[in-house]
Structure formats: C-alpha cells, structure tokens
Amino acid sequence: SSFCSLATSGGREGAEAPVPAMSLDGLDADTVFNTPCFGYTYDDLISLPGQATPGDGAIDLATRFSRNLVINSPIVAAPMASVCEGQMALAVALSGGIGVVHCECDPDVQAEHVTVVKQYEHGFIMDPMTLSSVSTVEDYDRIREKHGIRTVLITEGGVVGSKLQGIVTSRDVDLVTNRKTRLEKIMTPREKMRVAREPISLSEAMDQLREKKVGKLPILNDSDELVAMVSRKDLKRTTAHPLAAQDANKQLLVAAAVPPRMTEKERVRKLIEAGADAIVLNAAQGDSAAQVEFLRWMKHDYPNVDVICGNVVTPRQAKPLLDAGADGLRVGMGSSSLYATSEICAVGRPQASAVYHVAKFAAEYGVPVIADGGVQHSSHITMALTLGASTVMCGCLLAGTTEAPGEAFWHEGQRLKTYKGLGSFEVEGGGKTHGGVSCAVVDRGSASLLVQTLSEGVTRDFRRLGAANVNQLHEDMYTAAVRFHIRTVGCRGPAFATAVA
C-alpha cells in the first residue's frame, strides 16, 4: 500500500469505515513512522495544535527519569566531561531535572561530584557532624576546613546514637585564642538547647524548626540519644526551589555514568556509597553482551539502584536490556547536535524515528526512555516528549553555561567555552578514530536560568497541544489524538534549503 493509502486510513487497522484523507488534519504517529524507507529527525515533523489547556499553571512537567525516579522537569544533563560535574548536576536538580556526572575521571573524583549534590540539601540529616566533650577547638577547626560545616553536636561518645551533651557553632569558637581548649568549656549545654523527639515526620520537624526559631534542631529518642538533625538552611533552600528534584529524604537527585565493564565494579561501589540515585551505563552501542552481563551483576548486587542502559535506536537492541532488568533506556545513535554535515555517522537512526519505536516498545515493559542527542532548543524537547520519550538529555545546550566544566575564553568579541563530543579525539585519546568533533559554544550564562527558559518553552508547547502532563501527551500520541505533518525542505527556512542544496 502506498503512503497516500496509509494517510487515507489514518494508519489504524480494523477501522469501522474508511475515513477521508487526513491531509488537512495531519497523520497519526503510527502512520508516519511505519511508512517504509523513511526515517525522521525532530525538524522533519511538526505537531498540529489541540484544544489549548486553560493556563500554564495547569501543566505539570513531572516525569519519570527511570523506573523508580520521578523528576519535575524533563531536562537531563548529559554525562560529558565538558557538560556535567557536581555544579551542573546541582543546578539542574534545583531546577527540577537531573544531572548525570560523567565518568571521564578518577572514581574518587566522580564520587566527590556526587557528594556535592547529595550534601547540598537534606531532610533528616542522619549523619550530622559530632565530637565528644573532650575534643578540642582544633578538632572543630579540622571539620570546618574539610567539610565547610560550622555546627557540631557534642555527644558522650562523639558519635550519633549516644547521649547529646551540647552544641558548638562558629560563634562559640571564633574568639577563642587557645585552640586546644576543650569543647565542654565553650559549648551550649543540652539543658539550654531546643530539641525534638522521635517518632516525628519530616514535615512536623520542619514545623517545629519554624516555631522554635533555631538554626539546627536535633532529634532525640526517649533515652536522650541523638538520632538525626534538621537544619533551617535546608528549609530555606526547599522554599527557594519548590521544583527541585528530591528523594524521600529531601536530598537532591543525582545520577552517575559508569562504563559497562567488570573492571568498574569499584567505581560503582564508591558512587553508590556517595549517594548516587541511579547508574547510567555509558556506551555508544548498548546492545552488547558486556552491557547485559554488567547490568545483571548490578541488579543482583544493588537491586535497589536504578540502572539506565544504552544507547539503542531499535526495539531489537532494546529487548536484551529490558529482559535483563534495565530501569531506563538512552535512545540515540549518530544524531548528536555536534556532528558536522561531513561527519554524519554511517550507523545509527534518525532521532525522531528512534525515539518513537524504542519508546513504544519499552512502554510494554513499563520502562521510560531518555531521548539522547540532536536537541538544540525547547521545540526539540517537546517533539521528543510527544514521540514517547519521558526525558531529554542535553549536552550542547548546557555546555556553554557557567556551571559547565572548563574556563571561558574570548574569541572575536564572543565569550566561548569548549565543548567536546563523546567521540572526539581529545576525549577518546590513544589515536582512536571514532566519529565526533570538538568545538566552542557561546557562553549561555546560568544553567538554572537556561533550564527555566527551556521548561517555559516546553510548557508553552504543551498548552498549545492541549496536554496537561507528559503521561497525557503520550496517551494522546498513541491514541492518534496528536497529529503530525511532515515538513518540506522549504518550510524549514531558506538557510536550511540552501545548505541542503
């Protein structure tokens, strides 16, 4: 059957009666993507508008990053050395998304980047800094210098779980000239402290923190033993960033990349101990025996940690990973926004087609997919979500921001930052000749503001499509409520048409 006949039937088998040709009302996704011999990128398609939702406030961008992790924005920072380290992951998480810390460094360094994110914000602080009453101001100084923490709780044994005796802050020690002075002589004693008792919920603890007007509120059991603490600073940060992606303990979410090799087991251990919420297996080709073996090992040894696999572009590639227990899939191969026209990959798939087919297949397993590659602006993010992706991984978009690793430099009056693709010679090293290039991208300012701007653009597009959330958008696409047109070269603008010619 021809493309026109597909358009006439709307691409749905078993229709009760023939329907008119849909040239005016577009085509459903099944018709578009099951037409033989065609593969589509994001720019090849445009979605037709639906009935607009009432307002931006009615739109919820919360979505699944993996099987068990929900974030409040569909934007994910890519695990690239010129994109995501601790500061980028922190900025994206505060804006509702999640960052994947790259693995092109020593495991200890990568774990430190994860710690930067996990220690920024807490609910219950289960391991507050403690010392004993016989410790000295010098001991306090060492903790402040190493961890940047200015409040230390004093307990009988100097550990959590022993009786609380007092508290020491920077105000107690700043004017002490003899740094060998014992803390028992300068601490605020337990009798003058305000505390809370367990059992207590996090919301109740935060309410008591407000009522008692203190900076730190220790949580004690019936034996007066320290079990946890809540901080006013965390309360302020939660209020300042209402969309922040957080775990059950109100700590920010962060993921970390790991090469799927058995020699990387120690890296995985260190990352999970540092608090990584998910592990992203970093490989250009996901359909390999090595990745399946590594995935099975991870699901056996760390069953409570979500593992995201990839990259894949076909259901055939995805099936072994899903059968082995993958909690998410990265979709994309040969579609990076970094590739020049002369360096198009010989192996891969146009990104829109890849996202649609893999997402539809993964949905049968209840597994979300991450559209990875080819994203240059908010419209591409919306199109990826419309075609079934739950989140979108951004590299080039975030590479020029202040939080991206590397120093900015000036060239011909422009402030730039270096951006290296995963296949670039500088990243691969050793004389390898994999595809990919390095370039300089224009400085984009704060990552937080950029993510907010991108989210606003996606919200605008959701409103035009008539979708209130990502799940509804997916449902509308699979039930053919969302319609598409295929763009001609001319409708992409004269600059694009000239480049193709």
Side-chain angles (χ1 to χ4, degrees):
S1 58
S2 67
F3 185 85
C4 292
S5 64
L6 281 171
T8 303
S9 66
R12 296 183 296 277
E13 297 181 1
E16 295 182 0
V19 296
M22 301 300 289
S23 58
L24 294 179
D25 292 329
L27 304 169
D28 61 275
D30 188 59
T31 300
V32 172
F33 291 106
N34 286 298
T35 301
C37 303
F38 286 99
Y40 298 104
T41 66
Y42 297 140
D43 286 330
D44 290 328
L45 304 171
I46 187 170
S47 304
L48 301 187
Q51 184 179 17
T53 50
D56 292 347
I59 295 171
D60 181 10
L61 295 183
T63 184
R64 286 196 300 161
F65 172 66
S66 60
R67 192 191 303 268
N68 300 302
L69 292 182
V70 176
I71 56 179
N72 294 320
S73 169
I75 297 172
V76 179
M80 305 170 74
S82 54
V83 177
C84 191
E85 291 183 348
Q87 292 303 313
M88 176 64 74
L90 176 60
V92 174
L94 288 172
S95 301
I98 191 170
V100 184
V101 179
H102 74 85
C103 56
E104 297 166 38
C105 59
D106 184 81
D108 290 325
V109 175
Q110 189 182 14
E112 288 176 6
H113 290 307
V114 171
T115 302
V116 166
V117 182
K118 298 306 291 185
Q119 295 299 320
Y120 180 81
E121 190 172 297
H122 298 82
F124 286 117
I125 303 173
M126 307 306 295
D127 55 349
M129 288 297 169
T130 55
L131 290 171
S132 68
S133 58
V134 297
S135 300
T136 65
V137 176
E138 286 182 339
D139 297 322
Y140 172 90
D141 290 339
R142 280 191 286 269
I143 288 178
R144 182 162 68 173
E145 182 180 353
K146 182 178 180 180
H147 301 285
I149 293 174
R150 297 174 178 270
T151 300
V152 175
L153 298 176
I154 309 302
T155 64
E156 281 187 353
V159 295
V160 177
S162 55
K163 286 193 175 183
L164 181 67
Q165 293 181 320
I167 186 171
V168 173
T169 69
S170 58
R171 289 173 292 182
D172 299 315
V173 304
D174 283 346
L175 300 179
V176 177
T177 55
N178 181 7
R179 309 310 281 183
K180 296 187 180 296
T181 302
R182 288 189 175 186
L183 297 181
E184 62 185 354
K185 295 182 179 180
I186 61 172
M187 70 182 185
T188 300
R190 161 70 182 87
E191 295 75 22
K192 295 183 179 180
M193 293 176 61
R194 297 192 175 187
V195 300
R197 298 284 181 179
E198 67 169 2
I200 187 172
S201 67
L202 182 58
S203 60
E204 290 171 341
M206 290 301 180
D207 288 340
Q208 288 196 32
L209 195 66
R210 292 189 189 94
E211 293 171 5
K212 296 177 179 179
K213 298 180 181 179
V214 292
K216 302 289 188 294
L217 184 67
I219 311 296
L220 309 180
N221 60 21
D222 293 336
S223 301
D224 228 30
E225 296 168 334
L226 177 66
V227 295
M229 183 178 74
V230 291
S231 170
R232 186 167 179 264
K233 182 187 293 185
D234 295 322
L235 177 61
K236 290 169 64 178
R237 285 173 172 171
T238 300
T239 304
H241 302 281
L243 292 178
Q246 299 173 322
D247 60 19
N249 193 42
K250 299 298 181 181
Q251 289 180 290
L252 297 176
L253 295 177
V254 62
V258 174
R261 299 190 293 264
M262 286 302 179
T263 54
E264 298 290 346
K265 289 183 177 182
E266 183 65 12
R267 182 187 294 269
V268 172
R269 182 188 66 79
K270 291 180 178 180
L271 292 172
I272 292 176
E273 287 181 355
D277 297 286
I279 297 297
V280 177
L281 302 187
N282 205 37
Q285 159 64 298
D287 185 13
S288 67
Q291 185 159 156
V292 171
E293 180 186 6
F294 193 84
L295 170 61
R296 286 175 175 159
W297 167 77
M298 276 216 61
K299 298 309 292 184
H300 178 270
D301 283 32
Y302 303 99
N304 296 322
V305 177
D306 279 6
V307 184
I308 296 162
C309 299
N311 281 31
V312 299
V313 291
T314 67
R316 184 177 62 182
Q317 284 181 295
K319 189 176 189 305
L321 300 172
L322 293 170
D323 289 341
D327 299 300
L329 292 174
R330 287 171 70 184
V331 178
M333 186 183 297
S335 61
S336 170
S337 58
L338 190 61
Y339 282 111
T341 305
S342 60
E343 295 171 335
I344 295 175
C345 282
V347 179
R349 192 176 199 176
Q351 186 67 345
S353 295
V355 169
Y356 172 78
H357 287 292
V358 176
K360 185 176 181 180
F361 182 73
E364 299 175 9
Y365 291 78
V367 172
V369 304
I370 304 168
D372 178 15
V375 175
Q376 298 176 337
H377 43 71
S378 64
S379 296
H380 286 164
I381 297 174
T382 303
M383 182 57 69
L385 298 176
T386 304
L387 297 177
S390 293
T391 53
V392 177
M393 191 166 278
C394 302
C396 183
L397 264 179
L398 298 172
T401 58
T402 305
E403 291 82 357
E407 297 294 327
F409 61 94
W410 291 90
H411 178 70
E412 296 182 353
Q414 285 188 313
R415 184 177 166 88
L416 307 173
K417 268 193 168 183
T418 301
Y419 171 50
K420 300 176 182 178
L422 287 175
S424 66
F425 298 137
E426 290 87 345
V427 172
E428 299 263 350
K432 295 182 181 180
T433 57
H434 296 82
V437 295
S438 293
C439 67
V441 292
V442 177
D443 192 327
R444 299 176 184 269
S446 166
S448 298
L449 292 177
L450 178 59
V451 172
Q452 180 182 347
T453 301
L454 293 172
S455 297
E456 289 173 353
V458 174
T459 299
R460 172 205 64 203
D461 291 338
F462 269 51
R463 187 166 184 270
R464 291 173 176 174
L465 287 165
N469 52 61
V470 175
N471 287 337
Q472 182 186 340
L473 184 61
H474 290 171
E475 182 180 350
D476 288 347
M477 186 267 293
Y478 289 126
T479 58
V482 174
R483 316 292 292 185
F484 301 90
H485 265 315
I486 301 170
R487 300 176 189 248
T488 63
V489 172
C491 98
R492 302 190 208 174
F496 183 86
T498 304
V500 172

